Amino acid sequence: MVNAHISKSRRSATGYIRSTYSEDEVELFGIYCSDLNRCFLVPAASAAGRHSLSLRLIAPRNGQRHVL
């Protein structure tokens, strides 16, 4: 499983402010997996508003599937 942090942060007078990207700011997130030496493009509609996401690279042993 590949875990990717897709949030942004900026420094303010009170410390760091962490926020997420919206679909208006990005079209795709590019995620690199060093184990497979491959890049994956994730549409912003699937990941916008999230701080991180996980990509499952192999099928789960219990046969579960994610339905969009």
Side-chain angles (χ1 to χ4, degrees):
M1 184 160 314
V2 175
N3 294 313
H5 298 282
I6 55 172
S7 61
K8 56 186 174 177
S9 62
R10 65 182 172 87
R11 186 171 167 87
S12 73
T14 59
Y16 286 97
I17 297 174
R18 190 171 164 205
S19 59
T20 61
Y21 289 100
S22 69
E23 288 185 64
D24 296 333
E25 295 175 283
V26 295
E27 293 179 20
L28 298 167
F29 292 98
I31 300 169
Y32 174 71
C33 175
S34 60
D35 293 341
L36 300 176
N37 194 30
R38 289 185 60 188
C39 291
F40 297 90
L41 292 177
V42 178
S46 299
R50 299 176 69 178
H51 287 282
S52 65
L53 59 91
S54 299
L55 297 178
R56 184 183 296 271
L57 303 177
I58 57 173
R61 291 184 298 179
N62 63 4
Q64 289 181 337
R65 291 176 29 134
H66 178 73
V67 180
L68 294 176

